[in-house]
Amino acid sequence: MGRKAEGRVGFIGLGTMGREMARNLIEAGCIVRAYDVRREAIDELTALGAEAASSPADAARDADIAITMLPDTPQVEEVVYGAGGPKSGLLTNPPRGRLIADMSTISPVAVRRMAADLKAAGIDMVDAPVSGGPIGAKNATLSIMAGGETDAFARAKPFFEAMGTTINHVGAPGAGQAVKLCNQLICGINIQAICEAIALGRACGVDLRQLREVLLGGSAASWMLDKLGPSMIEGETGAGFRIDLMLKDLRLVQEQALSLAVPLPGTALVTSQYLEARAHGEGAHGNQALFRVYDRMTNQSAQPTG
Ligand code: NAD
């Protein structure tokens, strides 16, 4: 569990990550009013002590802060600007505390536009994407990288501390997303590197479980090798962080890089492999399923050793 916190939170988006983050806010001492387009997701949260909301505006109304944890840019824009017409979004129905923290991974350009529109209406927006995956969300050990005005970040921080342990203010609105895109680029290329090492180790007849343990003790160690290595080796495809969500992030990385004329050849290569995985119907699988691309390239299937 994270640090103790108090206050009212409107939480919008109760999926793999949002469900656990909202639960940690409740356990920390906050009153959480929760909304998702899926009724069953709201029911799950009310069973944990949340109040049920009938819309994003209803979730936010009495809150000190509204937090969104949604798949992509269009969903966050829908919640801010309103899907049921301009009067239904948070822009015209802000939380009482006039503070919104979007913790999804979305376009930094869209964040800057929304933050400016909200600011013109006297509402502060902090972009605060996270790293640490479903395990970090569950254990309240997320790394949270926030962009926004200093005062807005200070007001949001106690809520972030209930969900994470590494919390940094990295600049103006959009800066949190820029740092997150750098994070995702490293994650994608790192997963690819692990796939290549396991493909080579398998071809050499090495015990793959031992290979992973040995690598974890040296300079090739990484979070991805530690957390995703076992399911890669066993051919287990269950989703924590889905292939299609990583593809969304790699698209955001490339859009940003292209607009600034920054060549990212490594990112371009791994993006092609993610596209190949999705073309094989694996978009809903976890990121470790990128190894299936290497199965196909080597005409092999997962072979647990030992
Ligand atoms: P998810 O798809 O599991 O959850 C998203 C939730 O939003 C779903 O419950 C969905 O029903 C709900 N939703 C969609 N549109 C909505 C709308 N208009 N209004 C209200 N609710 C709506 O996704 P997730 O894995 O929880 O990821 C959420 C965000 O966090 C994404 O941007 C993702 O890239 C990022 N992220 C995910 C992970 C991970 O490991 N899963 C890690 C770090 C960051």
Side-chain angles (χ1 to χ4, degrees), residues 12 33 75 137 144 166 276:
I12 301 152
R33 196 166 169 82
Q75 291 81 25
I144 300 172
T166 306
E276 200 264 13

mmCIF file of all heavy atoms in Angstrom, residues 12 33 75 137 144 166 276:
data_model
loop_
_atom_site.group_PDB
_atom_site.id
_atom_site.type_symbol
_atom_site.label_atom_id
_atom_site.label_comp_id
_atom_site.label_asym_id
_atom_site.label_seq_id
_atom_site.Cartn_x
_atom_site.Cartn_y
_atom_site.Cartn_z
ATOM 1 N N ILE A 12 -11.542 7.890 -13.256
ATOM 2 C CA ILE A 12 -12.187 7.542 -14.528
ATOM 3 C C ILE A 12 -11.262 6.628 -15.335
ATOM 4 O O ILE A 12 -10.161 7.038 -15.723
ATOM 5 C CB ILE A 12 -12.526 8.827 -15.319
ATOM 6 C CG1 ILE A 12 -13.465 9.706 -14.473
ATOM 7 C CG2 ILE A 12 -13.167 8.491 -16.663
ATOM 8 C CD1 ILE A 12 -13.341 11.183 -14.763
ATOM 9 N N ARG A 33 -14.823 8.190 -6.093
ATOM 10 C CA ARG A 33 -16.068 8.042 -6.872
ATOM 11 C C ARG A 33 -15.640 7.608 -8.269
ATOM 12 O O ARG A 33 -14.923 8.342 -8.963
ATOM 13 C CB ARG A 33 -16.829 9.372 -6.879
ATOM 14 C CG ARG A 33 -18.274 9.242 -7.312
ATOM 15 C CD ARG A 33 -19.032 10.512 -6.952
ATOM 16 N NE ARG A 33 -20.336 10.503 -7.575
ATOM 17 C CZ ARG A 33 -21.401 9.869 -7.089
ATOM 18 N NH1 ARG A 33 -21.312 9.203 -5.954
ATOM 19 N NH2 ARG A 33 -22.542 9.907 -7.746
ATOM 20 N N GLN A 75 -9.810 8.842 -26.004
ATOM 21 C CA GLN A 75 -10.648 8.605 -24.816
ATOM 22 C C GLN A 75 -10.464 9.728 -23.792
ATOM 23 O O GLN A 75 -11.436 10.153 -23.153
ATOM 24 C CB GLN A 75 -10.328 7.247 -24.177
ATOM 25 C CG GLN A 75 -10.752 6.040 -24.991
ATOM 26 C CD GLN A 75 -9.767 5.686 -26.094
ATOM 27 O OE1 GLN A 75 -8.581 6.009 -25.999
ATOM 28 N NE2 GLN A 75 -10.246 5.047 -27.148
ATOM 29 N N ALA A 137 1.290 -1.108 -10.155
ATOM 30 C CA ALA A 137 -0.018 -0.523 -9.823
ATOM 31 C C ALA A 137 -0.604 -1.221 -8.597
ATOM 32 O O ALA A 137 -1.119 -0.577 -7.684
ATOM 33 C CB ALA A 137 -0.964 -0.668 -11.014
ATOM 34 N N ILE A 144 6.027 7.688 -11.298
ATOM 35 C CA ILE A 144 5.085 8.661 -11.871
ATOM 36 C C ILE A 144 5.877 9.875 -12.340
ATOM 37 O O ILE A 144 6.622 10.475 -11.560
ATOM 38 C CB ILE A 144 4.018 9.057 -10.817
ATOM 39 C CG1 ILE A 144 3.247 7.805 -10.373
ATOM 40 C CG2 ILE A 144 3.075 10.127 -11.372
ATOM 41 C CD1 ILE A 144 2.300 8.012 -9.204
ATOM 42 N N THR A 166 8.131 6.481 -6.768
ATOM 43 C CA THR A 166 9.081 7.378 -7.438
ATOM 44 C C THR A 166 8.265 8.433 -8.164
ATOM 45 O O THR A 166 7.646 8.153 -9.193
ATOM 46 C CB THR A 166 9.948 6.588 -8.443
ATOM 47 O OG1 THR A 166 10.550 5.498 -7.747
ATOM 48 C CG2 THR A 166 11.029 7.462 -9.055
ATOM 49 N N GLU A 276 4.036 -6.963 -36.798
ATOM 50 C CA GLU A 276 3.972 -8.352 -37.249
ATOM 51 C C GLU A 276 3.187 -9.186 -36.237
ATOM 52 O O GLU A 276 2.337 -10.002 -36.612
ATOM 53 C CB GLU A 276 5.407 -8.899 -37.426
ATOM 54 C CG GLU A 276 5.496 -10.131 -38.315
ATOM 55 C CD GLU A 276 5.492 -11.440 -37.534
ATOM 56 O OE1 GLU A 276 5.176 -11.452 -36.335
ATOM 57 O OE2 GLU A 276 5.784 -12.472 -38.136
#
